[in-house]
Amino acid sequence: MKRKVLLIYTGGTIGMEKDYGTGSLKPFNFENIFSKIPEIQLLECEVRVQPFDQPLDSSDMGPKEWQRIAKYIGDNYELYDGFLILHGTDTMAYTASALSFMLKGLRKPVILTGSQLPIGDLRTDAKENFLTGLNYASLYEADQAVVQEVAIYFEYKLLRGSRTLKHSAEYFDAYLSPNYPILGQSGVHLHFTKEALYRAPKDQPFEVDYHMSPSVLFWRVFPGMSMAHLRALPNVKVLILQVYGSGTISNSEHTERILQKLRDQGTEVVVVSQCVSGAISFGKYENSSVFTKIGAISGTDMTAESAITKAMHLMDNPRYRESFAENFPKSFCGEVSEN
Ligand code: ASP
């Protein structure tokens, strides 16, 4: 049976070709993708292209564009078996995380991919990423989609979207999922770690929740940073502090006073780590005690990308009766390891 895939093209290097005259990169008309990759015809799927009107560098993407992608998926959910999103690599992990929170009760694959080199380049990684991404987006077993979550496929690996970060601007192997196993790997065959695949609760129907609050700020602390910068943040409802190791920060009364003031004015403080792998653990060191004192929320082993988009999705979201502080530590789509 031929599976139907909606291909959402947003922009990025994957949709560019080199002008060999000038040496610069320019977007090509994406409707012509089938002539660039004739191998698509060999796959057991039917593809319809839904391009953005204007291809975007992914640094120009944000909540509006995430909502647009979510709407394409929501409006076409019943009509297609899977969704492949072609995206610039720079912010793909943010889009993947945001979509993971917006698309609730997902039972079909939503795969994001892109490339480090344009599709027309001799050494391009675009073709493999694209074709295998399409493969994963149309893979069914016994009439059930194998992947039922938002994932990134890149350089032979399938990773949970909400666990992913871009770690290299140079190598083809650009993404990591440091705190969660790889969902799948493509070799001669497409492999899966079946027990790692996410399954939405049985009673959760598919639904798109577009909510994204703009009142989130992310701040990386560094040795010698003046905490006074954090004194006046009037419109910030969630401050995500990226601190050291398993959750430490310079231990001073001044730090505590400033953070307590933010808490008193109603700002939620979420703590994530500057380490790529491992987790926040309040109480492990004396220098994390301030977070317990002020009632900060641990981001545990979430990526920064996931913590940011989760905070945007949860803050002021009328769907939830529980408070932000109650909800944030919970797993909504397998983005965090629960104790
Ligand atoms: N700057 C590009 C983007 O993220 C890089 C890429 O596509 O790889 O849109």
Side-chain angles (χ1 to χ4, degrees):
M1 172 184 177
K2 270 204 165 192
R3 295 284 168 191
K4 286 173 142 187
V5 175
L6 184 65
L7 176 63
I8 302 170
Y9 170 60
T10 70
T13 300
I14 194 163
M16 299 199 160
E17 57 189 352
K18 199 169 194 163
D19 180 328
Y20 283 98
T22 63
S24 60
L25 291 176
K26 55 174 186 11
F28 70 88
N29 180 356
F30 210 79
E31 305 282 355
N32 297 336
I33 183 68
F34 299 99
S35 61
K36 296 264 176 223
I37 315 186
E39 294 90 332
I40 294 177
Q41 330 286 345
L42 301 174
L43 291 177
E44 273 295 287
C45 61
E46 233 174 76
V47 180
R48 180 169 81 80
V49 184
Q50 171 69 71
F52 270 23
D53 301 338
Q54 187 65 43
L56 295 176
D57 187 282
S58 74
S59 55
D60 280 329
M61 293 187 66
K64 249 182 38 213
E65 289 72 26
W66 305 337
Q67 285 154 347
R68 192 185 314 164
I69 297 170
K71 184 154 171 36
Y72 287 147
I73 295 172
D75 290 354
N76 291 287
Y77 190 73
E78 297 305 332
L79 300 173
Y80 289 87
D81 299 297
F83 302 86
L84 179 66
I85 303 163
L86 300 184
H87 198 287
T89 56
D90 291 342
T91 70
M92 196 190 306
Y94 291 89
T95 302
S97 298
L99 290 175
S100 306
F101 297 114
M102 288 173 158
L103 303 173
K104 311 213 178 268
L106 195 60
R107 286 191 176 73
K108 295 186 177 181
V110 173
I111 314 290
L112 290 99
T113 196
S115 67
Q116 294 281 54
L117 284 176
I119 214 154
D121 197 286
L122 266 184
R123 293 180 53 249
T124 191
D125 52 334
K127 272 195 179 185
E128 205 293 313
N129 288 346
F130 180 93
L131 289 170
T132 310
L134 206 47
N135 235 303
Y136 275 116
S138 53
L139 204 69
Y140 274 64
E141 271 177 17
D143 223 27
Q144 297 284 313
V146 174
V147 180
Q148 303 187 10
E149 59 183 291
V150 179
I152 289 183
Y153 176 74
F154 216 88
E155 188 65 4
Y156 304 107
K157 282 189 236 130
L158 186 74
L159 307 168
R160 173 163 301 161
S162 59
R163 290 284 197 161
T164 311
L165 56 97
K166 181 178 178 184
H167 77 116
S168 179
E170 166 66 19
Y171 296 108
F172 289 143
D173 191 8
Y175 292 89
L176 290 178
S177 164
N179 283 330
Y180 196 74
I182 290 169
L183 302 181
Q185 203 153 8
S186 77
V188 175
H189 300 101
L190 297 187
H191 297 274
F192 291 98
T193 316
K194 281 234 153 99
E195 23 350 309
L197 293 168
Y198 182 76
R199 291 293 182 258
K202 287 210 165 59
D203 57 349
Q204 188 177 29
F206 173 73
E207 196 188 339
V208 185
D209 180 337
Y210 297 97
H211 185 86
M212 280 283 148
S213 159
S215 314
V216 174
L217 182 69
F218 184 85
W219 199 290
R220 181 179 169 108
V221 306
F222 56 89
M225 181 187 105
S226 163
M227 288 301 285
H229 293 308
L230 301 181
R231 207 174 262 148
L233 301 173
N235 299 316
V236 174
K237 293 193 174 173
V238 186
L239 172 67
I240 303 177
L241 277 182
Q242 195 185 35
V243 305
Y244 312 120
S246 56
T248 58
I249 191 167
S250 171
N251 199 3
S252 72
E253 254 176 50
H254 183 58
T255 301
E256 187 177 330
R257 218 177 315 118
I258 297 232
L259 292 180
Q260 186 59 59
K261 204 160 159 250
L262 283 171
R263 294 288 296 121
D264 292 344
Q265 78 190 28
T267 304
E268 297 288 356
V269 176
V270 171
V271 178
V272 296
S273 178
Q274 295 180 9
C275 292
V276 166
S277 67
I280 294 294
S281 169
F282 290 163
K284 186 167 175 191
Y285 293 96
E286 175 59 25
N287 281 38
S288 67
S289 58
V290 60
F291 297 127
T292 319
K293 274 190 209 154
I294 64 153
I297 303 164
S298 168
T300 334
D301 63 351
M302 257 179 264
T303 60
E305 291 83 344
S306 206
I308 291 167
T309 50
K310 186 176 186 175
M312 292 168 91
H313 185 65
L314 293 181
M315 177 44 74
D316 290 336
N317 189 330
R319 153 188 299 269
Y320 298 107
R321 265 181 294 126
E322 302 83 356
S323 68
F324 180 89
E326 281 170 308
N327 268 335
F328 194 85
K330 293 183 195 161
S331 166
F332 285 82
C333 50
E335 77 284 5
V336 64
S337 308
E338 287 181 304
N339 297 322

